[in-house]
Amino acid sequence: MRLVQCACHQISANGFMALSPADMGYSSRPVPASAGPVDRAILEDLAAASRILADQGVVDAFGHVSMRHPARPDRFLMSRSLAPALVSADDIMEFDLDCEACEARGRSGFLERFIHGEIYKQRADVNSVVHSHSPSVIPFGLTGVPMRAMYHNAAFLAGGAPIFNIHDKFGATDMLVGNHQKGAELARILGQNPIALMRAHGSVATGPSLSIAVFRAVYTEVNARLQLQTHALAGGGLIAALDQEEGVKADAVNITSASRAWDLWKRRVGM
Ligand SMILES: [Zn+2]
């Protein structure tokens, strides 16, 4: 296809406007140096996480998971733009925290990778991030009904989950976190919480490890289903959710036992 250059966009020969690299979240910065090869087992675990999230109904054709580079805290690992159930170790790319690919080799990163890079910048304790549009969570980002911890597996929600309303700062948008500014604002709203909801979009789950972030993403969706059922049953009456002290105690147990869920879920996806 023949391209004709204009001031900041490219116009194809048939007259359609193509997005410039800047519009698509890419910059003209030099390509960052790779931190070097990553153990194949780590890449396979990240691919497994992607498939687990699909198998558990947290992601469908969309959504993604990343992990901080095990040797370089200023790098993270994430699949190329691909449906999560199809990800394999060979699809994993390395990015710096400005979300520039170290070795793109013709591969494209996810448009919303800025969610990940900006959270890693602001949260040194976070080593893995999941972004999903899991359906049962969506109502809680629309209504302002607080998400609460319905049971011990979702104890990480006992402190609540803030809502990122992209309209507050950016006005009417396409709802996607497609640049640094939007990613940084989402990370700011997330604060020190493990989960943030995203109005009319989805949610983000974080953790100190890949398996904990996946655990939290899965149980955020399960908890949302339970809470919707509980509201229907309670009919406006009392809901005896975990309080914050119970949440802290129960989450400590979850963190030590999440590997049991991880082992099961990994086997389910044949990895
Ligand atoms: Zn999204």
Side-chain angles (χ1 to χ4, degrees), residues 115-131:
I115 294 171
H116 303 252
E118 296 298 327
I119 289 175
Y120 290 129
K121 279 184 188 173
Q122 294 191 31
R123 288 282 299 276
D125 61 311
V126 167
N127 289 315
S128 182
V129 175
V130 175
H131 168 57

Side-chain angles (χ1 to χ4, degrees), residues 139-207:
F140 294 92
L142 295 172
T143 59
V145 173
M147 185 171 276
R148 301 168 65 194
M150 294 294 101
Y151 73 144
H152 62 103
N153 281 352
F156 54 88
L157 287 167
I163 298 173
F164 169 67
N165 181 354
I166 197 167
H167 194 281
D168 286 346
K169 183 163 183 173
F170 302 101
T173 66
D174 60 8
M175 308 306 289
L176 302 178
V177 181
N179 63 33
H180 294 289
Q181 292 79 12
K182 291 169 183 169
E185 181 64 6
L186 170 57
R188 188 186 71 77
I189 296 292
L190 172 69
Q192 296 304 305
N193 296 282
I195 304 291
L197 311 186
M198 302 162 71
R199 176 191 144 257
H201 183 163
S203 59
V204 61
T206 66

Side-chain angles (χ1 to χ4, degrees), residues 210-232:
L210 180 65
S211 60
I212 298 290
V214 169
F215 182 95
R216 288 174 174 171
V218 169
Y219 283 108
T220 296
E221 169 63 17
V222 175
N223 189 80
R225 287 201 297 270
L226 289 173
Q227 189 167 344
L228 291 167
Q229 292 168 4
T230 304
H231 279 297

